[in-house]
Amino acid sequence: MRAGGTLNPVQGQLHRAGALGMSLFTKATSHTGFPVLDDLPWRSAPQKALQAASGLLVSDEVPRELIAWLAARTSDELGQITDRSLERPTHFKWFLGGRPADYVIWLHEYKQPEVFAQATSFAASVHNHRYGFCSRVLSGGLHVSTFSPPAGPGGPVLLVERRHVARGQTMILSHEDVHRIDRVEPRTCTILVQGPTARNFSTCYDITTGSSRRLYDMQSRLPWTMATLAAEYVESRPADTTADNRLAHG
């Protein structure tokens, strides 16, 4: 809200939704998405959309609404949730739904502290993402380090701050923000709204050696895989002699 008390269009939309008693989970399904988020400016102003989505996560009712929403899912919806969910070395990513070109909502269930402490990849690495996101800690807590991005190719990432994101707190990160979860508290869960993909790769950094590597999404990697197979099997395949064989046996 600006000083004069005028709502911008995104704030106005969420204000109307609140006046109508709509929450993040109103009329939401894993198949069709979360209607209260559908009209946010995901393509034209993704960071504003994430700020608006973050505003929906701060309600004290969100954890109870999530529990009730999950309990009300049909067996078909629960099947879709489990089919699209993922296990990482550091956490479980439970797919809740969304419109993948615009947004996806995840429930992140972090592994117990002693397991997380052994991990060096994914959330435990120094990294950025292909997309921006906002999240809220539902239980437990996160201890997070943020880093300045390298000034140029091959440049170092430098520690900026360490912070504790406690139960009930939210955070918003853009696709450029470099960070690492240093440790988690017992039974840590977060709800996360992932924005649209801003690029086809994320980057992991090794702060000891100064090296980095890009991790490309599967959609971008598939053409490379196809080309590799083609080079191995198609280009090296002997010439087709079927026509010659027909002539020889004609």
Side-chain angles (χ1 to χ4, degrees), residues 10 17 95 98 105-106 130 132 136 157 178 204-205 238:
V10 173
F95 171 83
I105 299 184
W106 301 91
R130 296 177 292 114
R136 173 197 168 139
V157 293
V178 181
C204 288
Y205 300 91

Side-chain angles (χ1 to χ4, degrees), residues 60-138:
D60 291 339
E61 297 303 311
V62 166
R64 285 182 286 273
E65 289 172 346
L66 171 59
I67 293 167
W69 182 83
L70 284 170
R73 295 310 93 205
T74 65
S75 58
D76 185 43
E77 286 184 283
L78 290 175
Q80 184 183 36
I81 288 172
T82 55
D83 286 347
R84 300 188 65 175
S85 298
L86 304 163
E87 181 180 4
R88 302 301 195 199
T90 50
H91 60 296
F92 299 93
K93 290 172 61 76
W94 296 102
F95 171 83
L96 300 184
R99 299 191 313 188
D102 295 328
Y103 68 89
V104 178
I105 299 184
W106 301 91
L107 171 62
H108 282 188
E109 176 192 355
Y110 286 89
K111 297 186 176 180
Q112 289 305 303
E114 62 274 15
V115 177
F116 189 95
Q118 301 301 313
T120 58
S121 60
F122 289 94
S125 67
V126 179
H127 65 285
N128 57 27
H129 289 272
R130 296 177 292 114
Y131 45 78
F133 67 89
C134 62
S135 68
R136 173 197 168 139
V137 176
L138 299 171

Side-chain angles (χ1 to χ4, degrees), residues 5-29:
T6 302
L7 297 173
N8 67 40
V10 173
Q11 291 171 322
Q13 177 186 342
L14 293 178
H15 179 76
R16 290 190 294 274
L20 294 172
M22 294 180 67
S23 77
L24 178 65
F25 300 96
T26 300
K27 297 183 178 179
T29 74

